[in-house]
């Protein structure tokens, strides 16, 4: 059994967190490959080391004095080094970083030092080998990941090692310089390592015990989702909360490697398992409820529209030409509605309306704003009678007016449009009927 354990920034923010990580690693010898993030926030108003590095490098690039900023970053690592008595000599690394900053090595290089240094400290503390990710992760000329080369080099290098610490977030660009993934990209490193060494499990350690059924700011103490499929996670994540970087998902799914989201501060909690498919029946009919406020709807009315071939395409083309993506397009016999982000739409409002008039000569265009979309997601809804009925009777009892309904034919989700002001009430009502009443 081989496990890859990726630890997020809050799991490695200080010496105390490092101790927890060591306990977790040593309690299971299958945890042979460890992928750390840079030190994150120690408390609410703290700054992540990655952000400190970006800010420090911005000064270096502007030829400003960055010594105090670099000293503050060093302080974060000294705190860990001294707190744990690792006895790691940070001097050579910081001298090199200072020199490279002065020579303008680039902001990707700068940001990557957060995980690089954390990886070095962690490897010294655990007694695991350190493997610089710039030697095993490669990007192509167009800036995208060179998956094949990365997998081959990673596999050959790591497979032989009994254990290793591989810093997250960066690799080697086509030009030989350090290049980072997008923010939160340590998850991608972890997923690449898991695939390369054919891990049985990829653990994503963070500061929550997995995914919650719904937003705890709306519902008091919602339970954790014990198992979720990748598809369910997609349906919920596009509505907000993401725990795993989107680009980390693809390689794992392809190889069928399950992910366990775990809490470094409560390692005994089982967390959430993310899997490709499962016979494991969800505890409730629904797996989760997600949602987002701030949508606008544009309804186009035109008599006999349904016989006009190409109508939908022409409408959507107007949105495309204005660089707007749409969320949903519910339609009636003579109406076609487009839901999109209100903020984005407002910037282009008049161009879109003019464009629609030109493209499809509508009888009438109606705009509505301050709308929210709620996704009720669950593999348990498939072939279960009455799910939609229960949702709508719960909403009616809560006096919520439903503006739009969209059920995908996969029967994995039901999307409901309500007014922004009804958003929380609607989520509470749906939660209550499925989770509290458990029907
Ligand atoms: N440290 C990087 C960030 O803050 C990458 C990561 O934590 O995954 O985005």
């Amino acid at each position: 059994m081989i496990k890859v354990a990726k630890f997020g920034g809050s799991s490695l923010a200080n010496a105390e967190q490092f101790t927890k990580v060591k306990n977790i690693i040593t309690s299971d010898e299958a945890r042979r490959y460890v992928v750390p993030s840079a030190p994150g926030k120690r408390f609410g108003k703290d700054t992540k080391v990655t952000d400190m590095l970006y800010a420090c490098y911005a000064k270096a690039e502007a030829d400003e004095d960055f010594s105090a900023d670099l000293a503050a970053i060093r302080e974060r690592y000294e705190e860990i080094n001294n707190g744990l008595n690792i006895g790691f000599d940070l001097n050579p690394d910081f001298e090199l970083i200072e020199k490279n900053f002065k020579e303008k090595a680039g902001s990707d290089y700068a940001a990557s030092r957060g995980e690089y240094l954390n990886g070095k400290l962690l490897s010294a503390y655990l007694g695991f080998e350190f493997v610089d990710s710039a030697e095993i992760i490669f990007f192509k000329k167009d800036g995208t990941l060179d998956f094949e080369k990365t997998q081959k080099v990673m596999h050959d290098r790591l497979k032989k090692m009994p254990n290793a610490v591989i810093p997250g977030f960066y690799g080697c660009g086509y030009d030989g310089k350090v290049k980072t993934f997008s923010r939160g990209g340590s998850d991608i490193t972890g997923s690449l390592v898991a695939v390369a060494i054919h891990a049985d499990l990829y653990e994503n350690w963070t500061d929550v015990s997995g995914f919650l059924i719904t937003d705890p700011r709306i519902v008091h103490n919602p339970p954790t989702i014990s198992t979720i499929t990748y598809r369910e996670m997609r349906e919920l994540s596009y509505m907000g909360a993401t725990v795993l970087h989107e680009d980390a998902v693809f390689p794992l799914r392809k190889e069928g490697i399950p992910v366990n989201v775990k809490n470094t501060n409560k390692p005994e909690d089982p967390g959430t398992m993310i899997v490709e498919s499962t016979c494991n029946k969800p505890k409730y009919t629904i797996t989760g409820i997600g949602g987002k406020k701030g949508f606008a709807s544009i309804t186009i009315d035109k008599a006999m529209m349904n016989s006009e071939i190409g109508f939908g395409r022409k409408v959507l083309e107007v949105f495309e030409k204005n660089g707007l993506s749409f969320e949903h397009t519910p339609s009636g016999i003579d109406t076609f509605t487009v839901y999109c982000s209100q903020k984005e739409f407002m910037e282009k409002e008049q161009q879109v309306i003019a464009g629609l008039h030109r493209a499809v000569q509508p009888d009438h265009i109606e705009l509505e704003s301050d709308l929210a979309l709620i996704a009720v997601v669950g593999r348990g809804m498939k072939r279960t009678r009455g799910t939609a009925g229960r949702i709508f009777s719960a909403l009616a009892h809560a006096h919520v007016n439903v503006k739009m309904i969209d059920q995908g034919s996969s029967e994995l989700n039901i999307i409901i449009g309500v007014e922004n002001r009804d958003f929380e009430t609607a989520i509470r009502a749906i939660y209550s009927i499925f989770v509290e009443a458990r029907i």
Side-chain angles (χ1 to χ4, degrees):
M1 178 99 168
I2 301 179
K3 293 182 186 174
V4 170
K6 180 257 164 180
F7 289 89
S10 60
S11 301
L12 290 163
N14 58 23
E16 194 193 338
Q17 294 301 86
F18 263 66
T19 317
K20 292 181 191 168
V21 167
K22 187 171 186 173
N23 288 336
I24 291 166
I25 297 296
T26 51
S27 70
D28 183 350
E29 59 185 30
R31 293 186 178 122
R32 288 172 42 193
Y33 300 92
V34 185
V35 176
S37 278
K41 294 184 183 192
R42 293 160 293 183
F43 43 87
K45 290 224 160 73
D46 201 12
T47 312
K48 287 175 158 196
V49 165
T50 308
D51 293 313
M52 295 170 84
L53 282 159
Y54 279 123
C56 177
Y57 183 72
K59 285 196 180 165
E61 202 159 60
D63 292 319
E64 288 169 27
D65 178 18
F66 61 88
S67 50
D69 298 69
L70 196 59
I73 293 164
R74 181 171 177 151
E75 193 40 52
R76 293 288 308 259
Y77 291 103
E78 292 290 6
E79 186 189 323
I80 299 166
N81 198 16
N82 300 336
L84 298 170
N85 250 323
I86 301 175
F88 186 83
D89 182 7
L90 285 161
N91 270 330
D93 279 311
F94 271 91
E95 275 162 23
L96 187 62
I97 290 171
E98 190 180 345
K99 177 173 161 286
N100 287 336
F101 273 31
K102 282 188 179 143
E103 287 170 8
K104 315 219 163 110
S107 68
D108 277 21
Y109 163 81
S112 75
R113 296 305 88 185
E115 349 294 280
Y116 174 85
L117 291 167
N118 229 18
K120 281 205 146 178
L121 282 178
L122 188 62
S123 95
Y125 183 50
L126 295 174
F128 279 21
E129 271 190 74
F130 176 82
V131 177
D132 187 348
S133 301
E135 294 167 12
I136 55 169
I137 293 179
F138 303 94
F139 292 90
K140 292 194 261 192
K141 203 172 180 180
D142 64 5
T144 58
L145 177 76
D146 188 339
F147 186 74
E148 274 72 37
K149 184 174 176 191
T150 299
Q151 285 298 300
K152 173 145 196 354
V153 177
M154 254 191 186
H155 179 86
D156 294 349
R157 180 89 179 263
L158 298 179
K159 206 61 198 177
K160 301 189 281 268
M161 295 182 161
N163 51 49
V165 171
I166 307 109
F169 194 37
Y170 71 93
C172 177
Y174 192 75
D175 55 3
K177 285 192 191 160
V178 166
K179 181 169 165 50
T180 60
F181 293 110
S182 58
R183 292 302 302 266
S186 296
D187 289 352
I188 308 173
T189 312
S191 113
L192 292 172
V193 172
V195 172
I197 53 139
H198 308 306
D200 300 283
L201 182 67
Y202 170 46
E203 292 179 328
N204 208 286
W205 291 87
T206 167
D207 54 4
V208 289
S209 296
F211 295 94
L212 299 176
I213 288 192
T214 194
D215 189 337
R217 287 165 301 185
I218 299 175
V219 167
H220 178 67
N221 228 348
T224 304
I225 300 171
S226 60
T227 308
I228 189 168
T229 64
Y230 284 110
R231 289 183 61 203
E232 288 174 311
M233 188 176 73
R234 272 288 293 152
E235 299 288 349
L236 284 171
S237 67
Y238 109 99
M239 284 282 171
T242 34
V243 175
L244 194 64
H245 193 296
E246 296 221 329
D247 295 342
V249 172
F250 179 70
L252 294 165
R253 261 189 99 161
K254 220 171 117 236
E255 292 293 309
I257 300 174
V259 179
N260 194 187
V261 178
K262 298 265 290 173
N263 190 346
T264 303
N265 307 315
K266 286 187 184 167
E268 61 292 346
D269 283 358
T272 299
M273 286 296 292
I274 312 170
V275 297
E276 178 57 37
S277 55
T278 176
C279 290
N280 181 317
K281 283 241 166 12
K283 194 163 168 201
Y284 313 102
T285 309
I286 57 158
T287 303
I289 313 164
K292 219 153 79 179
K293 287 185 185 176
F295 290 96
S297 75
I298 300 94
T299 299
I300 301 125
D301 241 292
K302 188 177 183 189
M304 305 303 286
M305 120 180 355
N306 71 329
S307 55
E308 202 178 314
I309 292 174
F311 190 90
R313 176 183 50 77
K314 287 183 210 153
V315 168
L316 293 178
E317 224 168 50
V318 174
F319 285 81
E320 182 183 347
K321 282 197 184 126
N322 282 286
L324 291 170
S325 73
F326 65 91
E327 296 290 331
H328 290 282
T329 55
S331 59
I333 187 131
D334 282 337
T335 61
F336 187 92
T337 305
V338 180
Y339 271 73
C340 58
S341 147
Q342 183 168 337
K343 195 168 156 279
E344 287 169 26
F345 175 69
M346 295 291 266
E347 286 161 22
K348 305 275 175 63
E349 186 185 62
Q350 295 309 314
Q351 288 103 296
V352 174
I353 294 172
L356 288 171
H357 277 282
R358 262 197 309 273
V360 294
Q361 294 88 39
D363 296 336
H364 178 63
I365 295 179
E366 191 166 307
L367 304 178
E368 263 197 85
S369 53
D370 299 325
L371 300 172
L373 292 174
I374 296 170
V376 186
V377 177
R379 60 191 185 280
M381 295 188 329
K382 201 166 181 131
R383 288 185 283 269
T384 309
R385 266 176 294 126
T387 311
R390 262 176 273 157
I391 294 175
F392 298 116
S393 79
L395 292 175
H397 277 109
H399 305 286
V400 173
N401 177 33
V402 176
K403 307 212 63 111
M404 190 273 289
I405 310 161
D406 192 354
Q407 171 172 356
S409 48
S410 62
E411 291 184 77
L412 191 67
N413 65 347
I414 296 178
I415 311 275
I416 300 148
V418 298
E419 284 180 39
N420 272 351
R421 64 185 155 104
D422 286 335
F423 180 68
E424 286 83 7
T425 315
I427 288 188
R428 273 184 221 118
I430 300 168
Y431 174 85
S432 152
I433 203 86
F434 286 104
V435 183
E436 283 166 359
R438 240 187 125 166
I439 48 172

